[in-house]
Amino acid sequence: MVLGALLGWNIIADQSYQDITRTLSKGLLTTIGVTLCAFILASLLGLAVAMAGFSKWRLVREISRFYIEILRGIPVLVLLFYIAFVGAPELIKLWNWALQKPIEWGWLDKARTRDFTLLWRAILALAISYSAFIAEVFRAGIQEVGKGQIEAAQALGLSGWQRFRLIIWPQALRKILPPLGNDFVALIKDSSLVSVLGVQDITQLGKVYSASTFQFFETYNVVAFMYLTLTLSLSLLIRAFEKYLRRHEHHR
């Protein structure tokens, strides 16, 4: 807190720190936008993968497990490069092949690789990478629900969707939210990796500014301060929410 207060004072009082902060703040919205979009996509994909892991068909369960294990074993940076420079061109080819007839008839324009911007390639890569970890969070939360309650719901004649919506999901959600929050904080930090693709986030703007002004010490102090402000604020909110859940459970 003391170090943060000192750095905050420098940002307020020192003109060079003010110039750096003003420049880097332009990338703040990009960092937040990348994180939010990637997290939403990762959550949706992770939920689908987790539900596939509970399928009655063994092949679907094995595919789900294969997906999780493979992606958890690949570094985020490697996957970022792979999606950006291998996956994106192949997706464009697949798109053009699937819509070949409408393109020939003139209903649609042929997609080009450059139409798939580096920003969205980065978001897709982060979403795919984190979906494997989030799938495990969903799986653990769903497994926490007692089998007796599910069997009772079956005995009452509830359908599979009704059992999930009314019995499983409300109880699992209380277990899932805290670790999901931790993954969101981790994703904010890993969003800095998109700078390797030239995406104008906080890290990329800091890299460009420091290289042009040679104020490396001051610039990366501000970069670190911005990320710490985001992550520590969210961590404190998550801790407060966990305490609220524990109190709520205790009162119940």
Side-chain angles (χ1 to χ4, degrees), residues 101-135:
K101 290 300 181 181
I103 292 172
E104 290 177 355
W105 295 335
W107 294 354
L108 294 173
D109 293 329
K110 187 175 182 179
R112 296 166 295 182
T113 303
R114 65 183 181 182
D115 295 332
F116 198 171
T117 64
L118 289 173
L119 175 63
W120 280 105
R121 297 184 201 187
I123 290 173
L124 180 61
L126 289 174
I128 291 174
S129 179
Y130 268 79
S131 66
F133 298 96
I134 291 176

Side-chain angles (χ1 to χ4, degrees), residues 31-32 35-36 39 177-178 180-189 191 226-242:
T31 295
I32 295 173
T35 304
L36 285 174
F39 185 76
L177 284 178
L180 272 185
N182 293 331
D183 282 336
F184 186 71
V185 171
L187 185 54
I188 290 177
K189 294 186 291 183
S191 70
M226 285 186 168
Y227 279 110
L228 279 171
T229 301
L230 289 172
T231 55
L232 290 178
S233 299
L234 280 169
S235 295
L236 290 174
L237 286 174
I238 292 168
R239 289 181 185 178
F241 184 67
E242 288 177 352

Side-chain angles (χ1 to χ4, degrees), residues 46 49-50 65 68-69 72 131-141:
V49 173
R65 176 51 50 188
I68 292 171
E69 294 300 334
R72 288 201 305 174
S131 66
F133 298 96
I134 291 176
E136 286 293 270
V137 172
F138 280 123
R139 180 190 61 81

Side-chain angles (χ1 to χ4, degrees), residues 15 20 27 37 55 63 66 90 95 119 129 131 150 161 168 171 173 183 189-190 193 205 213 233-235 241 247:
Q15 184 61 45
I20 295 168
C37 290
S55 173
I63 291 173
F66 178 80
E90 293 302 320
W95 173 271
L119 175 63
S129 179
S131 66
I150 300 174
W161 167 245
I168 299 173
Q171 296 183 66
L173 190 60
D183 282 336
K189 294 186 291 183
D190 280 342
L193 295 174
L205 291 179
T213 61
S233 299
L234 280 169
S235 295
F241 184 67
R247 287 198 302 268

Side-chain angles (χ1 to χ4, degrees), residues 37-57:
C37 290
F39 185 76
I40 292 170
L41 290 174
S43 298
L44 294 173
L45 184 55
L47 179 59
V49 173
M51 295 307 297
F54 293 101
S55 173
K56 61 182 179 180
W57 292 295

